[in-house]
Amino acid sequence: MSTNSRFAVAVHVLSLMAWSAEEPLKSEQVAESVNTNPVVIRRMLLDLAQAGLVVSQTGSMGGSRLATDPAKTTLLDVYQALECGGVFSLHRQPPSRDCPVGVNIETVLGEVLQEVDSAVAQVLKNITIDDVVQRLKPCGTLNNVKTPKVGKSNGKLGKVLRTA
């Protein structure tokens, strides 16, 4: 039972785009930062575009960039753009109706999970992509790593993230 990492990857992608400001980023550049396949990034960008969070353009000068102000885009916006359900889900198979616990556990857990989802939404709606970027900036100085600044590139991350 693994957890879904799509939310974390989406926040990473949008934070990288916020860092790059108006410069469109190619999926290969983003994939290198996330350490995943560009196809994974392209699929996610489609979901984010459908939610109105990114815009993409094709061609040699194309790429993707934020469609919204990172100071107004909340993590709840990102979560809702990607997640089809709540934080947790109920059993994959219905529990036994012959068991005194199994017959009612989904009803009870359903109520608990609604409370959990509500609490998560409350936290996520108060944190923006810009907040995430601001939290990243002090981390860039740890372990002799300079704060990255996105610059012109030819598809290699080293040329995307230049030190400030």
Side-chain angles (χ1 to χ4, degrees):
M1 290 187 231
S2 64
T3 58
N4 188 330
S5 62
R6 284 176 46 86
F7 173 74
V9 171
V11 172
H12 184 146
V13 168
L14 295 174
S15 297
L16 184 62
M17 288 180 178
W19 205 305
S20 75
E22 291 295 314
E23 180 185 345
L25 299 177
K26 296 200 176 295
S27 58
E28 293 81 8
Q29 295 169 304
V30 177
E32 190 170 341
S33 176
V34 176
N35 195 23
T36 192
N37 190 298
V39 172
V40 172
I41 298 302
R42 285 191 284 274
R43 287 181 184 148
M44 180 170 289
L45 289 172
L46 287 173
D47 292 336
L48 295 172
Q50 285 180 336
L53 299 177
V54 300
V55 292
S56 299
Q57 49 189 91
T58 58
S60 61
M61 299 302 291
S64 299
R65 61 180 173 73
L66 293 178
T68 58
D69 180 351
K72 294 180 181 173
T73 304
T74 69
L75 297 189
L76 182 59
D77 297 329
V78 179
Y79 182 77
Q80 290 173 336
L82 297 176
E83 304 296 329
C84 296
V87 175
F88 302 111
S89 60
L90 295 174
H91 308 71
R92 289 181 187 224
Q93 301 295 323
S96 171
R97 298 292 175 213
D98 297 329
C99 171
V101 173
V103 72
N104 290 313
I105 192 69
E106 290 184 315
T107 301
V108 172
L109 282 179
E111 294 168 2
V112 171
L113 297 183
Q114 284 179 346
E115 291 179 42
V116 169
D117 291 341
S118 179
V120 168
Q122 286 295 97
V123 172
L124 295 180
K125 78 176 188 178
N126 291 314
I127 303 170
T128 67
I129 293 297
D130 189 57
D131 293 333
V132 173
V133 170
Q134 295 309 314
R135 291 180 188 190
L136 288 169
K137 288 184 179 180
C139 298
T141 58
L142 298 177
N143 299 322
N144 296 322
V145 176
K146 294 182 180 179
T147 305
K149 177 182 174 188
V150 176
K152 299 256 185 234
S153 89
N154 63 357
K156 295 291 184 191
L157 183 63
K159 299 201 178 191
V160 174
L161 299 179
R162 299 196 186 277
T163 54

